[in-house]
Amino acid sequence: MLSLAFRRLIFVSTIYFTATIAQSIFDWETLKPSTTLDWKPCYGSPFQCTRLKVPFDYSAPEIGYASIAIVRLPSTAPKSKYRGPILYNPGGPGGSGVDSVVSPAGAYFASIFGDQYDIVGFDPRGVSYSTPTISFFKTEAERRFLIPSPTNVIYPSLNASSNALSQVWAENQLLGQLALAIDTSHLFQHMSTDNIARDMLAITKAFGQEKLQYYGISYGSVLGATFATLFPDKVERMILDGVFVMESYFTLNMTSMMVDADPSLQSFFDGCYQAGPEGCPFYEPSASAISAKLDNLTATVKEKPFVVLTPGSYGLIDYDFFRNVILDSLFDPYDSESGFEPLAQALASLAEGNATALYNMGAVPTFECQAPTEAFHLNNLEAYMAIACGDALPINDTLAELQEYWANGLSTSSFSDVLSAPRVFCAGYKTHRAGRFVGPMGANTSVPLLLVGNSLDAGTAHVGAVQTSKLFPRSAVLTQDCVGHTSLVAPSACTAAYFGAYFANGTLPAPGTICPIDIEMFPSSANASTKRTLQTSEEKRLLDAWGKISRATPRRAL
Ligand SMILES: *[C@@H]1O[C@H](CO)[C@@H](O)[C@H](O)[C@H]1NC(C)=O
Ligand SMILES: *[C@@H]1O[C@H](CO)[C@@H](O)[C@H](O)[C@H]1NC(C)=O
Ligand SMILES: *[C@@H]1O[C@H](CO)[C@@H](O)[C@H](O)[C@H]1NC(C)=O
Ligand SMILES: *[C@@H]1O[C@H](CO)[C@@H](O)[C@H](O)[C@H]1NC(C)=O
Ligand SMILES: *[C@@H]1O[C@H](CO)[C@@H](O)[C@H](O)[C@H]1NC(C)=O
Ligand SMILES: *[C@@H]1O[C@H](CO)[C@@H](O)[C@H](O)[C@H]1NC(C)=O
Ligand SMILES: *[C@@H]1O[C@H](CO)[C@@H](O)[C@H](O)[C@H]1NC(C)=O
Ligand SMILES: *[C@@H]1O[C@H](CO)[C@@H](O)[C@H](O)[C@H]1NC(C)=O
């Protein structure tokens, strides 16, 4: 029972790097942490790794040191053209920058940003290969008992049943108490975003550079903005993509960030209708009829979950599962496995009684009792709580206040039952460092920031980029004309060219710039254009690169 309930706890990224890693295992313990960057080959050529020693507390180094796991894809340009590192953060918080760069993403970033840079992934303190690796459990087996599949998790719906909220609340109270009990050295309080920003400065300096070059998506926008606020004169280049409404992060009030969620779903209905019955298997003769058909299926699932048994796996499509598959699709609508077209196919088949395809879209690998010991670094849940809940102002809400909070959110989005959950997750977490940075964000940076927002982003609404721009004078907003979470979800030669120009020359897009994308929402539709064949060879190279990055980075990060 407990394991099923806990399976639904995490509100972080689904990082599907396991299939894409060049050489999935590297023993980080073979690298001795030091205060200089001592690069050693890792994960197969051309990757290089190192561990950097940083103080837990920059004002009290005597407490001890964390070691930051860093991987780089070295620049291939001649030395005279070398332009230093670009640090990347994939969001979460809790996403592994190492795993991202060691996926195809690293090579494709290099092709967009240019070969003059080292593409650098690091695991924020507490995350994955950086030590200490935050865990609320003593062993991986113990963790797997509660969280069978740490990389593929399901958001709980606070409306799944009349006691769903109290259940989620209680589970997270338990996690908060486990954290307190295991953290006898009081180290978790130092895993805060301000310290991660200080670590980024330390990494930059260890490279021999004065100023940071950075690309961060989703929560990575909070990390970047924190850095820019604390060290405004240390910014060389900074692109924030899928930008938070900054104060939402610290107050754990997600309401203003979910304004794009329902319009994103509407774009599924409209797109399906326009694609026609040939292009969209879930087609009905109007967008509102498609919407009604989805409502009917949702109600059916809530009344009576589907039981699924496939050759590879088995499980249930219940209300939580169903809403997660839909939300996943809103986050990544152009994806060939979780996007709108496969969703339409799976929904159509579910409506006819075949649940296999929809189950496969969200399936969690079957629990294995013998948890792989090398997977202990997959600590998304604990890292999320230590960083996001630890950063935030303490949540003292009663259950009645939490109920009121998410129910009020319904007037902003019908997905409030899932998107409001972080406040409930963090209500049980009691480890906060006094004096940590909790905003306000904003500063006049040495170089203006480039902020990127999709026209509709269900997780980090476009308004996040607009509001953040007001906090950083001279920054620019680039809008990518698409649905989904962060610009990486859809290839756009236009966006890629702006990224390249910004890193090369600091050039910002003109106010109001909107980039089209180069992929169709329903590619099989007779009405789909031939966008993908219209590119010059250079555009095509960038476009392909973009698509591959989106498939190698977190799909569902907040
Ligand atoms: C919450 O659940 C109730 C009862 O099943 C249902 O009537 C209501 O529409 C649901 N609300 C949302 C936003 O899903
Ligand atoms: C959350 O923000 C919304 C507006 O975005 C506001 O109406 C609501 O009162 C806030 N809730 C809490 C608990 O602060
Ligand atoms: C293609 O688009 C046109 C105009 O948007 C629409 O009238 C037509 O029905 C669409 N074709 C299909 C197959 O849906
Ligand atoms: C869904 O639609 C079918 C067919 O129109 C209907 O029989 C069924 O009662 C509906 N189910 C729900 C839960 O609304
Ligand atoms: C159900 O759908 C799957 C594909 O999603 C297919 O392989 C399977 O044959 C279908 N089952 C039946 C009974 O039609
Ligand atoms: C929550 O409680 C703590 C400790 O009692 C207090 O310091 C903090 O101000 C409270 N937070 C809010 C938002 O009321
Ligand atoms: C920001 O800094 C630039 C250059 O350092 C300066 O020209 C500008 O006036 C400053 N703007 C504000 C709003 O402080
Ligand atoms: C940067 O500026 C130079 C000189 O104006 C230009 O030749 C180059 O194409 C620019 N680079 C990018 C990536 O825009």
Side-chain angles (χ1 to χ4, degrees):
M1 265 323 286
L2 203 56
S3 77
L4 266 180
F6 270 85
R7 179 166 68 70
R8 308 197 226 102
L9 275 176
I10 317 180
F11 193 57
V12 290
S13 45
T14 303
I15 305 174
Y16 52 118
F17 50 74
T18 36
T20 52
I21 285 176
Q23 209 181 71
S24 61
I25 309 270
F26 172 68
D27 183 2
W28 285 85
E29 291 299 314
T30 61
L31 302 181
K32 190 170 148 35
S34 85
T35 53
T36 58
L37 300 178
D38 189 9
W39 298 104
K40 292 278 159 38
C42 58
Y43 296 104
S45 175
F47 296 105
Q48 298 175 338
C49 293
T50 187
R51 295 165 84 194
L52 183 69
K53 263 172 85 173
V54 293
F56 287 128
D57 182 342
Y58 279 83
S59 61
E62 67 278 5
I63 295 175
Y65 291 84
S67 87
I68 308 300
I70 307 172
V71 65
R72 75 166 165 180
L73 182 59
S75 160
T76 53
K79 236 182 168 156
S80 61
K81 298 246 168 79
Y82 178 65
R83 302 262 314 248
I86 295 177
L87 273 58
Y88 172 63
N89 180 277
S96 165
V98 168
D99 282 330
S100 300
V101 166
V102 181
S103 71
Y108 298 111
F109 280 133
S111 86
I112 285 165
F113 296 141
D115 60 5
Q116 315 91 300
Y117 305 95
D118 289 339
I119 305 301
V120 174
F122 67 99
D123 288 345
R125 47 173 66 207
V127 173
S128 292
Y129 308 106
S130 288
T131 58
T133 309
I134 294 285
S135 180
F136 302 167
F137 310 101
K138 290 190 195 71
T139 62
E140 177 63 14
E142 192 187 332
R143 176 192 281 140
R144 291 287 173 114
F145 179 69
L146 297 180
I147 317 162
S149 181
T151 53
N152 191 354
V153 291
I154 293 184
Y155 298 38
S157 163
L158 303 176
N159 197 33
S161 66
S162 58
N163 69 349
L165 170 68
S166 55
Q167 185 73 23
V168 175
W169 177 86
E171 288 165 354
N172 283 280
Q173 294 290 319
L174 175 57
L175 283 173
Q177 289 179 26
L178 285 172
L180 276 180
I182 205 165
D183 182 26
T184 49
S185 310
H186 306 292
L187 292 181
F188 289 7
Q189 59 174 324
H190 300 298
M191 311 296 147
S192 52
T193 294
D194 54 357
N195 279 335
I196 299 168
R198 291 180 184 105
D199 295 343
M200 292 208 296
L201 186 58
I203 295 170
T204 301
K205 284 183 172 161
F207 266 93
Q209 308 280 322
E210 273 295 299
K211 296 180 183 174
L212 174 73
Q213 304 184 110
Y214 176 76
Y215 177 52
I217 64 169
S218 193
Y219 156 80
S221 70
V222 175
L223 175 57
T226 299
F227 182 97
T229 301
L230 296 177
F231 308 110
D233 57 342
K234 300 285 185 213
V235 178
E236 184 68 40
R237 297 284 186 270
M238 183 175 287
I239 300 182
L240 309 182
D241 186 347
V243 184
F244 269 58
V245 173
M246 291 298 160
E247 66 187 34
S248 298
Y249 178 75
F250 294 109
T251 60
L252 282 166
N253 183 348
M254 300 296 151
T255 305
S256 62
M257 280 175 40
M258 59 197 191
V259 289
D260 287 353
D262 288 35
S264 299
L265 183 61
Q266 185 62 41
S267 75
F268 170 70
F269 302 142
D270 294 341
C272 180
Y273 170 63
Q274 278 154 20
E278 305 298 315
C280 179
F282 201 57
Y283 177 83
E284 290 292 322
S286 72
S288 58
I290 298 169
S291 170
K293 189 155 91 170
L294 181 63
D295 286 345
N296 177 297
L297 260 185
T298 308
T300 303
V301 168
K302 197 164 185 182
E303 259 173 44
K304 191 158 148 295
F306 286 80
V307 177
V308 187
L309 181 62
T310 72
S313 183
Y314 53 85
L316 305 178
I317 297 178
D318 59 9
Y319 186 69
D320 279 351
F321 186 102
F322 188 74
R323 286 182 65 74
N324 271 261
V325 167
I326 291 167
L327 199 58
D328 231 5
S329 201
L330 300 184
F331 272 53
D332 206 359
Y334 310 91
D335 189 82
S336 58
E337 287 169 10
S338 63
F340 283 174
E341 193 165 271
L343 177 69
Q345 181 67 60
L347 289 173
S349 170
L350 187 70
E352 283 159 15
N354 184 342
T356 307
L358 195 111
Y359 181 73
N360 285 340
M361 286 182 77
V364 171
T366 322
F367 174 68
E368 286 174 38
C369 191
Q370 278 185 311
T373 47
E374 75 273 16
F376 196 62
H377 68 273
L378 298 175
N379 69 335
N380 290 14
L381 178 143
E382 295 111 301
Y384 177 89
M385 291 186 79
I387 300 170
C389 306
D391 278 341
L393 301 169
I395 300 300
N396 305 324
D397 302 12
T398 62
L399 269 174
E401 286 165 335
L402 287 171
Q403 169 68 27
E404 192 190 338
Y405 159 71
W406 84 258
N408 280 344
L410 289 172
S411 61
T412 301
S413 170
S414 63
F415 286 95
S416 179
D417 60 325
V418 275
L419 293 175
S420 292
R423 191 178 186 85
V424 185
F425 297 164
C426 290
Y429 194 79
K430 304 299 177 199
T431 306
H432 307 276
R433 194 183 85 245
R436 71 195 177 285
F437 178 74
V438 292
M441 294 279 199
N444 189 13
T445 48
S446 39
V447 166
L449 312 189
L450 174 54
L451 307 167
V452 187
N454 289 349
S455 34
L456 291 178
D457 183 328
T460 51
H462 185 266
V463 68
V466 174
Q467 290 194 9
T468 302
S469 178
K470 296 188 179 129
L471 307 173
F472 293 95
R474 298 170 294 130
S475 62
V477 174
L478 175 66
T479 300
Q480 182 167 289
D481 187 16
C482 74
V483 186
H485 182 45
T486 85
S487 78
L488 295 178
V489 297
S492 165
C494 170
T495 299
Y498 278 111
F499 281 20
Y502 175 73
F503 268 103
N505 297 334
T507 316
L508 288 170
T513 300
I514 300 176
C515 271
I517 59 167
D518 305 308
I519 193 171
E520 295 285 347
M521 193 175 266
F522 287 91
S524 307
S525 161
N527 273 1
S529 73
T530 51
K531 276 178 179 174
R532 270 191 161 277
T533 61
L534 293 177
Q535 313 298 316
T536 66
S537 61
E538 173 62 7
E539 281 172 334
K540 190 168 186 317
R541 189 179 70 85
L542 290 171
L543 187 161
D544 287 348
W546 219 228
K548 281 171 184 145
I549 291 170
S550 89
R551 287 190 288 280
T553 45
R555 294 198 279 178
R556 189 208 286 155
L558 275 185

